Amino acid sequence: MLEIPTDLPADLVPLSWLLGVWEGTGVIDYEASGQRFDGEFAHRVSFSHDGGGYLNYSAEAWMLDDAADDGRGAGLVSELGYWRLARPLSQADAGPALLPATAVSPARTADDVEQLRTAEGGFPLQVALVHADGISELYLGQVNGPRIDIATDAIVRPEGAKEYGAATRMYGLVEGHLLWAWDIAALGSHLGAHASARLAKVD
């Protein structure tokens, strides 16, 4: 049974099933530049909130087939970001940068969130992620019940970064587990299946 925290802002209720720390394993299977990348990896993902209208996100993964004594092998990804429902910001919202809000409005309610519902029955979603290698991604998509589908709207790569052109991610809550799949277009290859994992909630 899904329990929704009583202190959760209304805009986060559609995302509440993500909250917590998830751990598990997955597989990589991707071919690019004439080379096949495959193997099993461990993955740890955290979704939390601090009272704002967004979820804090962090994730890391490492290979298992060459794990050291501490259980960690070669690092694969370390990323941080924010997940939020997409909605127009108003004078009651702070930003950009350090600019404070210039108006006061009542706290957003479930009725306000309901007005965001899409024709498909879900809610529009924005996900901003930054990787430890300097690559940043902006994903757009939707959350519809216990399923999320997002695709990159923009990718920013610093000078010297490896070629990475597009990505899609799918998340789903299935029998209490967080399942996800990540497709990418990288290193000269077209968008295709890249990795997937099954995670259990540990906290």
Side-chain angles (χ1 to χ4, degrees), residues 16-190:
S16 61
W17 54 273
L18 289 170
L19 284 167
V21 177
W22 305 80
E23 293 182 349
T25 60
V27 292
I28 302 166
D29 189 2
Y30 190 70
E31 188 169 347
S33 301
Q35 182 175 357
R36 176 159 293 281
F37 302 86
D38 56 20
E40 187 177 12
F41 64 93
H43 197 43
R44 178 181 172 89
V45 175
S46 172
F47 290 94
S48 63
H49 79 97
D50 53 18
Y54 52 85
L55 291 184
N56 302 301
Y57 167 85
S58 65
E60 56 182 337
W62 58 93
M63 293 298 293
L64 287 174
D65 55 6
D66 59 354
D69 291 341
D70 62 1
R72 298 213 170 194
L76 293 172
V77 71
S78 178
E79 54 185 6
L80 300 170
Y82 300 94
W83 296 53
R84 66 189 308 144
L85 294 191
R87 66 170 178 86
L89 299 184
S90 72
Q91 298 302 316
D93 294 294
L98 291 175
L99 299 180
T102 57
V104 177
S105 64
R108 287 177 55 78
T109 67
D111 289 337
D112 296 324
V113 175
E114 189 62 29
Q115 293 179 18
L116 300 174
R117 194 177 289 274
T118 67
E120 295 82 12
F123 297 93
L125 185 63
Q126 297 174 346
V127 177
L129 303 178
V130 61
H131 298 241
D133 61 6
I135 289 177
S136 298
E137 301 173 281
L138 173 63
Y139 286 89
L140 302 179
Q142 74 170 339
V143 51
N144 195 338
R147 179 181 171 119
I148 290 171
D149 293 277
I150 52 177
T152 48
D153 181 65
I155 293 176
V156 177
R157 294 184 293 124
E159 184 178 4
K162 294 181 180 180
E163 188 272 323
Y164 180 52
T168 64
R169 302 194 193 197
M170 184 281 293
Y171 297 78
L173 186 64
V174 180
E175 297 179 347
H177 286 79
L178 181 62
L179 277 60
W180 66 258
W182 186 0
D183 294 358
I184 63 171
L187 307 181
S189 290
H190 297 294

